[in-house]
Amino acid sequence: MEKLNGKKINTAVFISGRGSNLNSLIKYNKKKNSIFSILLVVCDNPNARGIIYAKRSKIKIYVTNFKNKNLSEKKILKKMLKYKIKLICLAGFMKILSKSFIKNFKNPILNIHPSLLPKYKGLNTHKRIIQNKEKYSGSTVHIVSSKLDSGKIILQKRIKVSKLDNEKTLEKKILKLEHRLYFKAIEKFLINP
Ligand code: GRF
């Protein structure tokens, strides 16, 4: 990991859809004392709602559709070099990056996952948590490794699941939590990797 030396870490955020976590990271970014700077948003879907947040803040957007994964990843790596990106933050990015991408990027990649990892890896976490009548859920920021949702955990926050919760209400609660968690986890990681 690059040393901070008073400089902000060049960061790219990868999204696929709604982009509410991207929005919260952009808000953090606008603070004077933020320690990373979002230079690029990468997206695999030209219709992703989240693109609007990047546009509003005049952050560059790169869209590539992943129909040819190998080619898309190569193009993304080129962009990472062009913008001297030292940190990638996945925020609702629905494509699984290949081992070769992770290896060739050479810098850390973080992800936010809406469960208390290592429990509930993969998709539909809220649905499964409600079905299994779990008492707690939460969100985890972790380092991306070649195994899905399995890299080292940086920060995790827990909330109570109420008996009245359904998939939608739980998702809403967890998103709210995530919007406070992601930038804190990135700060923690950059200051004390
Ligand atoms: C979040 O719950 C995140 O944990 C998961 O996907 C969701 C993305 O939401 N990886 P948004 O696009 O940031 O609103």
Side-chain angles (χ1 to χ4, degrees), residues 113-116 129 136-140 157-159 174 177-178:
H113 181 78
S115 80
L116 295 171
I129 280 161
Y136 295 96
S137 187
S139 180
T140 307
K157 269 231 178 302
R158 190 173 84 152
I159 54 159
I174 289 184
L177 173 89
E178 291 191 317

Side-chain angles (χ1 to χ4, degrees), residues 14-143:
F14 287 27
I15 63 164
S16 294
R18 179 178 48 201
S20 69
N21 278 289
L22 167 67
N23 188 31
S24 77
L25 293 180
I26 291 176
K27 280 186 188 158
Y28 165 87
N29 224 229
K30 288 184 176 156
K31 293 187 179 165
K32 224 167 117 195
N33 53 356
S34 72
I35 60 172
F36 59 92
S37 172
I38 303 171
L39 300 187
L40 185 68
V41 168
V42 173
C43 187
D44 63 324
N45 165 17
N47 301 316
R49 269 202 279 152
I51 287 179
I52 186 91
Y53 300 117
K55 276 193 181 152
R56 260 191 224 156
S57 297
K58 302 200 165 42
I59 297 170
K60 292 261 175 351
I61 302 154
Y62 179 64
V63 181
T64 176
N65 62 21
F66 271 74
K67 276 191 184 137
N68 180 335
K69 181 168 170 164
N70 192 16
L71 188 64
S72 282
E73 288 190 340
K74 277 195 177 136
K75 287 182 180 167
I76 294 174
L77 277 173
K78 273 194 182 164
K79 292 279 173 193
M80 299 300 108
L81 288 175
K82 180 178 170 200
Y83 287 90
K84 298 191 172 63
I85 298 295
K86 301 293 181 235
L87 176 72
I88 292 176
C89 296
L90 308 182
F93 186 63
M94 301 306 284
K95 294 286 187 297
I96 296 175
L97 295 167
S98 70
K99 272 187 194 167
S100 118
F101 180 92
I102 296 170
K103 196 174 126 228
N104 288 322
F105 176 54
K106 295 190 176 72
N107 288 303
I109 306 176
L110 307 184
N111 181 41
I112 187 160
H113 181 78
S115 80
L116 295 171
L117 290 175
K119 287 170 100 184
Y120 295 96
K121 295 174 183 172
L123 296 174
N124 302 317
T125 51
H126 308 310
K127 191 174 175 187
R128 288 185 282 144
I129 280 161
I130 298 286
Q131 272 169 358
N132 294 345
K133 299 191 171 38
E134 292 283 357
K135 287 206 170 75
Y136 295 96
S137 187
S139 180
T140 307
V141 176
H142 66 97
I143 298 175

